[in-house]
Amino acid sequence: MENEHIIQLRNIHKHFGKLHVLKGIDLAVSTGKVLVIIGPSGCGKSTLLRCVNLLERPQEGEVIFNGQNILEKGIDINLVRTHLGMVFQSYNLFPHMDVLHNVMLGLTKTLDMPEDKAIESAIEQLNHVGLQDKHDSYPAQLSGGQQQRVAIARALAMNPQVILLDEVTSALDPETIGEVLAVMRQLASEGMTMIVVTHEMGFAREMGDRIVFVDEGIIVEEGPPEVILENPCQQRTKEFISQIL
């Protein structure tokens, strides 16, 4: 069972000054599965996700990726991050670059890929997310949903083993949320390992293999969607689900 888990978090504690944000998180993610993290605002969901690729460094615990604790000294975290694609709530695109060059940038700068190969790979991923006609557009010319799909294409271009998605639809208008969720559903159906922080319960129910409910820095409850969303054990989970649904 152990080797199935591409990511394991063990006893993760994260403090910001006196604020104890994560309080002993234990979590495992299996290859090819979609783990959905839900919970109220400010409960530590995004911090938890950012601890996976050490954008936030926990003060205590272990982050195991491919069987190795990436918190150990001597680990090249930049190399590790090339295998952990991350997509943020804000798209973080470079406004002075067209879509194609936004997607290519990591390939040429981080992976030292030759430009012709990088162009090929970037075009493939833009086509993958349904933006085949937007290669020459600039971010300002795109809708929020299109910009977020560019950000997903940029993460996919690095050929990651896992993709981390942090509230990627929360800044979008209702019309464009659907197009981003459609791309996420497609990735899940293709067997991409995903950790998704979201308030989109429809996606959680339909595509999540497991749902983790976090509150006040601890995992209150976790299980398959039909249990967590329809028949949770913990009172705190019941209260949250009844509010959000």
Side-chain angles (χ1 to χ4, degrees), residues 21-35:
V21 178
L22 299 178
K23 304 166 184 171
I25 296 283
D26 291 300
L27 197 59
V29 184
S30 298
T31 302
K33 300 297 184 184
V34 177
L35 179 78

Side-chain angles (χ1 to χ4, degrees), residues 84-186:
L84 295 167
M86 180 129 189
V87 186
F88 301 88
Q89 179 178 339
S90 53
Y91 328 119
N92 294 355
L93 302 178
F94 291 104
H96 64 287
M97 288 183 180
D98 64 24
V99 161
L100 184 67
H101 284 84
N102 263 286
V103 176
M104 281 172 58
L105 191 64
L107 299 174
T108 53
K109 295 290 183 208
T110 308
L111 300 185
D112 289 327
M113 190 180 281
E115 189 167 349
D116 58 338
K117 290 274 184 210
I119 288 171
E120 198 178 302
S121 181
I123 287 172
E124 184 186 342
Q125 294 307 335
L126 285 166
N127 295 353
H128 193 180
V129 300
L131 292 173
Q132 49 271 27
D133 56 344
K134 298 294 182 185
H135 300 171
D136 303 327
S137 300
Y138 285 81
Q141 298 171 306
L142 304 179
S143 70
Q146 288 169 333
Q147 289 186 64
Q148 194 58 286
R149 284 189 281 156
V150 174
I152 293 172
R154 179 178 58 189
L156 291 173
M158 302 294 283
N159 196 26
Q161 291 175 264
V162 180
I163 195 158
L164 313 172
L165 298 121
D166 187 14
E167 300 273 21
V168 296
T169 57
S170 62
L172 302 178
D173 60 74
E175 207 173 326
T176 57
I177 285 173
E179 65 192 53
V180 174
L181 289 175
V183 169
M184 291 164 63
R185 286 189 183 96
Q186 182 185 344

Side-chain angles (χ1 to χ4, degrees), residues 56-71:
E56 297 293 352
R57 210 172 173 88
Q59 282 90 355
E60 224 180 291
E62 295 180 316
V63 179
I64 312 293
F65 175 58
N66 281 333
Q68 185 169 41
N69 181 10
I70 61 174
L71 283 165

